[in-house]
Amino acid sequence: MINKLRTTRWWINHHLYWKFLLGLAVLLALTWPFAWGLIGLDQWTGESEFNSARELLVPSQSLILFIGILTFLTFRINKNPLVKQEHRDLLIRMGWHADKPLPFGTCFFTFTDVIAISGLFALLYARIDIQNNQTITDAYTHLFGTAPDIILWLSLLSCIIAMTFFQWMTAILAARRRVVHILLLLTLPVLIVYPHFLPSLSLMAFVLIHLTSRWVIQNNLKHFVWEKPYYDVNPVKRLRDEAAKSKLILAHFKRLAPRMTRKPTSLGIKLLVALLVCWWCDGLIGILEYMYKAAATYSAEDNFSANFLPAARDPLVAENMLWTISFHITVVPVFILNVALASWYMARFLVTGPIHIYARPFNFHWHIRKFDAILLTPILSSGLCLTLFWLANLQLISPRCFLYLSILGTLLIQWAVAPSAQSWFFTWNHSLFIGKQPDPRKQLNTQTIEIKIDAT
Amino acid sequence: MIELIDIHHHYSVKPTLRDINLTIPTGELLCVMGPNGMGKSTLLSVAAGLFAPIKGQVVIDGMVRRSSIETEKAIRKKVVYLPDSPWLPSSHTGREFLFAVGRLYEVDEDRLFDHADRLLDVFDLAGKADSPMSSYSTGQKKKIGICSALITDAPIMILDEPFSGGLDSSALLALQQILKHFAQRDDTTILVAVPVPELVEDFADRIAIIQDGRILACDSSANLMQQTQTQSLSLALETLINPQGRHHIDRYFEANA
């Protein structure tokens, strides 16, 4: 009987999180003496900065509630062994598998969580609505029509959105080794706003994302321990730590851990990812167009979009904005990345023996193909973006066409021309890091290991 | 039974384990000893299945470790591995952690609750059992880690330096007594790494001495002392591992004088 009672207590601790909620309630209660104390101090000093305690209570309590919601969600997500390496190691060590429940409680949101989070959101919205003279109520009415219990519905809605977002993030983390899952998870959020931004459709997209994320997490939990990359309890990290300690080049670990080699991504997947990126950017433009149309349709008084983005009401400003955003999501990152890459590589030219910029004339090696090839990608992708930008500026291609071509072109150049991650790895490790060359005496110890390096 | 067959393991180009061949029959307590950084923990990690050795294989009760998912699952059900510094979920209480680990090993609920209470009493943790583990001292964390290994009732235990990490004298004695009890049983196989010979010389069935990744000797403490013609296990170890040790100490004092 005693053990049954203990089991019940254990269950309550695991599922109701009453300690957390109690702590939050205590913090909220403490805001009252805090507010009254400040008011008292204010009156005593005679400055009278605050008219009532509400001016202090509402923002402080809202902040506590908001942080509380984030903490709660983070705490729940942290239950997932995929988030924490140590947790994963423990489960692997103890032989956990998906047939058994997780020992520290489920990592999925439960009905209890929905009640707790919705309740916290309800408190938060009630506070904000009082403070801002029912702005939330007005916005909700605009989007969904009138509703009798706005705060209740809005709290539930926010709870679903917040849980979905956190679960989606965990799913992305969980799916990091499966390209198809990642593509699916990155594609679905675009459906919220694109091609049609309607509240009911967006809500359906949220539900779809929630279910898909849950499925991805479940799928990964089912397999994660026994998949090869996880089988060695994150061998890459462990070996890199060892590498850092021993100051040896990383390439040797490839020799000693043949399982670390990954299958190269196929051209079809690369093309799919490039098209997906184009689609996301198109979605971004779609949102801008939606706002522009909304601004043109409604009057300023009752237009939520126009209040949100007054500039969208001006067609010229909207066109400029489209251009600015296209430019910033294509040309600017491409330039920054390429300049960083080229600078990083060029910096090695000044310090590393075989490809030393001063050594080259003496060796009559002005151009060393396999090392200098790395500069080809920055030159080509920057050149492409500049050419397209020039063509667009002459109005030979539309902004949207510029966007598609520059994104697609840059990504394909990166994948087709730039050295693969493996060859890059070997190139810079073998040739471009001074002081990290292997000790020949230590190399003798690797004689029994089969060495297979694709020297690039 | 644990069999380590022709085990070689490397960290980068540095060989950590070389040509290790070791058989620990069921019911035996084998203690691994040796200087620091010579491969004791690596050997235990390989035996626990955390590392795949570069060469060789680990066989547990006739099943080859890491040969297939099903085999590995079956092995992990009966093996518990306690690392030197185990991860403890800091927001959970010690008691919750013990229950969680016990449930992973499918220990019967009634047995689990009773066993947890007794273990917490033995290691003087009853007062802290319901506090979050973030509030535990280093020694208390070590104690709860040991409790978590013991609560599993696993027939094969691999314990990496359970005596180190700030255990108080009472806990050291308790752990010694518990290991002694297990050593007398025929159904529990234990592989334990210990740096200090005095802690285990009374009850270890055999002692494996490891140096530079190789096994120098593996025998009972009496036989080791006989082989080295010494009176204590400490001296036997010193003779085997560091024959110049006594000379170095003498030279140190001579220089000081």
Side-chain angles (χ1 to χ4, degrees):
Chain A
M1 183 62 191
I2 291 169
N3 286 344
K4 294 288 172 205
L5 285 172
R6 284 170 168 178
T7 314
T8 313
R9 201 179 78 176
W10 183 83
W11 188 91
I12 290 169
N13 275 335
H14 264 70
H15 297 273
L16 294 184
Y17 315 114
W18 59 272
K19 281 180 191 167
F20 171 79
L21 295 173
L22 191 69
L24 205 63
V26 169
L27 272 178
L28 286 173
L30 283 175
T31 55
W32 289 95
F34 167 74
W36 285 114
L38 271 183
I39 292 284
L41 192 71
D42 199 37
Q43 284 169 353
W44 182 68
T45 52
E47 289 179 3
S48 301
E49 284 182 21
F50 307 107
N51 295 321
S52 67
R54 207 181 79 170
E55 281 183 27
L56 284 166
L57 275 174
V58 174
S60 56
Q61 288 182 344
S62 304
L63 185 70
I64 289 170
L65 284 166
F66 182 69
I67 293 170
I69 291 167
L70 286 184
T71 313
F72 190 95
L73 288 164
T74 313
F75 170 71
R76 292 291 290 113
I77 290 301
N78 262 329
K79 292 243 176 205
N80 196 319
L82 297 166
V83 175
K84 208 172 177 75
Q85 174 75 39
E86 290 90 347
H87 189 182
R88 215 155 54 220
D89 288 353
L90 177 85
L91 294 183
I92 292 170
R93 212 173 63 229
M94 299 286 185
W96 178 84
H97 50 89
D99 304 341
K100 294 180 187 177
L102 281 165
F104 302 117
T106 177
C107 63
F108 295 110
F109 289 108
T110 58
F111 185 64
T112 327
D113 294 327
V114 175
I115 293 172
I117 299 169
S118 302
L120 292 174
F121 266 118
L123 280 172
L124 176 69
Y125 288 140
R127 299 277 81 194
I128 295 174
D129 221 29
I130 293 166
Q131 174 80 355
N132 298 335
N133 300 321
Q134 298 192 323
T135 308
I136 292 174
T137 312
D138 292 342
Y140 187 90
T141 313
H142 173 76
L143 282 171
F144 296 99
T146 50
D149 302 305
I150 286 163
I151 295 293
L152 176 73
W153 286 110
L154 195 61
S155 304
L156 267 173
L157 193 71
S158 305
C159 173
I160 292 167
I161 291 171
M163 288 196 319
T164 304
F165 178 66
F166 272 72
Q167 191 148 288
W168 177 78
M169 282 201 305
T170 321
I172 291 271
L173 195 74
R176 66 187 186 275
R177 303 221 179 243
R178 294 186 177 205
V179 180
V180 178
H181 286 179
I182 292 174
L183 286 180
L184 188 66
L185 288 166
L186 293 181
T187 307
L188 287 174
V190 186
L191 292 175
I192 297 168
V193 289
Y194 186 72
H196 300 290
F197 177 60
L198 292 170
S200 50
L201 284 177
S202 299
L203 198 60
M204 279 171 68
F206 263 108
V207 173
L208 191 65
I209 294 165
H210 190 89
L211 294 175
T212 313
S213 307
R214 198 184 168 95
W215 172 76
V216 168
I217 294 170
Q218 268 173 340
N219 195 278
N220 277 274
L221 277 178
K222 199 174 167 185
H223 296 288
F224 92 102
V225 173
W226 310 109
E227 276 178 351
K228 271 194 171 176
Y230 290 106
Y231 203 69
D232 286 333
V233 197
N234 200 348
V236 182
K237 187 178 175 295
R238 198 187 295 280
L239 292 172
R240 279 188 183 154
D241 289 348
E242 288 300 325
K245 279 181 205 161
S246 60
K247 291 192 174 63
L248 291 165
I249 62 165
L250 296 177
H252 283 271
F253 294 108
K254 288 273 181 189
R255 299 176 191 180
L256 299 175
R259 282 185 298 277
M260 281 162 60
T261 312
R262 283 190 206 166
K263 248 173 69 177
T265 316
S266 69
L267 186 69
I269 294 285
K270 284 176 182 175
L271 200 65
L272 204 65
V273 172
L275 286 169
L276 190 66
V277 174
C278 290
W279 191 50
W280 292 333
C281 297
D282 197 47
L284 194 65
I285 292 173
I287 298 168
L288 283 177
E289 282 180 341
Y290 166 79
M291 285 179 166
Y292 168 69
K293 282 174 192 165
T297 312
Y298 298 103
S299 64
E301 287 73 26
D302 60 355
N303 185 1
F304 182 67
S305 304
N307 283 332
F308 182 67
L309 194 65
R313 289 164 62 77
D314 185 345
L316 281 173
V317 174
E319 182 73 12
N320 280 341
M321 196 179 289
L322 201 79
W323 258 110
T324 312
I325 288 176
S326 302
F327 186 76
H328 277 92
I329 58 180
T330 54
V331 178
V332 172
V334 167
F335 263 112
I336 291 172
L337 277 173
N338 286 327
V339 166
L341 193 70
S343 314
W344 183 62
Y345 186 72
M346 293 293 281
R348 264 65 196 169
F349 278 27
L350 300 174
V351 292
T352 310
I355 55 165
H356 201 295
I357 205 160
Y358 305 120
R360 289 187 188 209
F362 295 107
N363 294 332
F364 299 104
H365 280 137
W366 294 98
H367 167 63
I368 306 172
R369 189 180 57 81
K370 70 176 180 181
F371 296 126
D372 297 345
I374 201 88
L375 291 175
L376 206 60
T377 317
I379 292 167
L380 279 178
S381 50
S382 308
L384 177 81
C385 279
L386 279 176
T387 313
L388 288 170
F389 186 68
W390 176 67
L391 288 172
N393 214 21
L394 291 175
Q395 296 188 333
L396 292 171
I397 53 172
S398 66
R400 190 164 265 168
C401 185
F402 160 71
L403 189 79
Y404 286 154
L405 287 177
S406 52
I407 290 173
L408 206 61
T410 307
L411 288 173
L412 289 179
I413 286 170
Q414 291 287 343
W415 287 325
V417 181
S420 68
Q422 200 172 11
S423 56
W424 172 248
F425 184 86
F426 282 123
T427 306
W428 65 258
N429 270 297
H430 274 301
S431 311
L432 298 180
F433 258 65
I434 51 165
K436 287 205 172 183
Q437 297 299 321
D439 183 347
R441 286 167 301 177
K442 286 185 176 174
Q443 266 189 315
L444 291 174
N445 294 324
T446 61
Q447 279 174 357
T448 52
I449 314 300
E450 188 185 343
I451 299 173
K452 224 179 228 184
I453 299 175
D454 175 25
T456 307
Chain B
M1 181 193 271
I2 308 172
E3 291 167 88
L4 303 167
I5 304 163
D6 196 20
I7 299 287
H8 287 75
H9 195 67
H10 289 230
Y11 285 133
S12 69
V13 292
K14 182 191 166 197
T16 318
L17 297 176
R18 287 186 278 194
D19 197 22
I20 300 276
N21 283 289
L22 207 57
T23 303
I24 309 157
T26 307
E28 188 178 270
L29 190 150
L30 185 126
C31 184
V32 182
M33 286 185 182
N36 302 123
M38 289 296 152
K40 294 192 296 290
S41 294
T42 310
L43 180 68
L44 265 65
S45 300
V46 168
L50 290 192
F51 294 160
I54 299 289
K55 194 181 158 196
Q57 59 184 23
V58 180
V59 183
I60 306 273
D61 285 349
M63 295 178 283
V64 180
R65 275 219 102 130
R66 306 170 73 91
S67 56
S68 73
I69 291 168
E70 285 68 32
T71 317
E72 190 58 29
K73 275 183 183 175
I75 290 172
R76 287 187 194 210
K77 267 186 183 173
K78 52 167 74 177
V79 179
V80 64
Y81 167 61
L82 177 71
D84 185 17
S85 329
W87 174 74
L88 305 168
S90 54
S91 59
H92 290 265
T93 68
R95 197 189 297 275
E96 282 172 355
F97 180 61
L98 293 188
F99 292 163
V101 173
R103 285 193 164 109
L104 276 174
Y105 279 82
E106 293 166 1
V107 179
D108 175 66
E109 290 275 306
D110 279 348
R111 156 96 182 138
L112 185 63
F113 281 91
D114 288 338
H115 196 181
D117 276 347
R118 283 187 281 126
L119 279 172
L120 291 166
D121 286 337
V122 164
F123 286 97
D124 195 21
L125 282 172
K128 290 287 279 183
D130 295 309
S131 308
M133 284 189 283
S134 53
S135 66
Y136 285 21
S137 70
T138 313
Q140 285 169 331
K141 282 179 182 166
K142 186 75 189 182
K143 284 178 184 177
I144 205 79
I146 293 167
C147 291
S148 73
L150 295 173
I151 206 161
T152 60
D153 289 334
I156 296 173
M157 287 197 255
I158 299 172
L159 312 173
D160 192 1
E161 309 225 358
F163 290 100
S164 65
L167 286 185
D168 54 38
S169 57
S170 158
L172 285 173
L173 190 67
L175 184 59
Q176 261 184 319
Q177 294 298 318
I178 287 170
L179 288 180
K180 198 171 185 173
H181 165 75
F182 280 124
Q184 286 162 358
R185 282 169 57 169
D186 294 334
D187 57 347
T188 312
T189 313
I190 302 177
L191 175 62
V192 57
V194 180
V196 186
E198 284 81 6
L199 289 167
V200 288
E201 65 177 324
D202 288 346
F203 56 86
D205 293 313
R206 279 189 303 156
I207 292 165
I209 299 162
I210 191 165
Q211 191 176 34
D212 288 331
R214 292 182 197 279
I215 291 182
L216 278 185
C218 183
D219 215 328
S220 64
S221 55
N223 286 349
L224 285 174
M225 285 190 277
Q226 197 181 7
Q227 279 169 30
T228 52
Q229 295 178 337
T230 48
Q231 298 301 311
S232 72
L233 188 60
S234 303
L235 288 171
L237 274 174
E238 195 176 324
T239 310
L240 285 165
I241 296 166
N242 187 14
Q244 298 295 312
R246 177 57 59 188
H247 170 68
H248 289 154
I249 292 168
D250 291 343
R251 208 177 62 178
Y252 172 77
F253 285 117
E254 275 169 21
N256 275 354

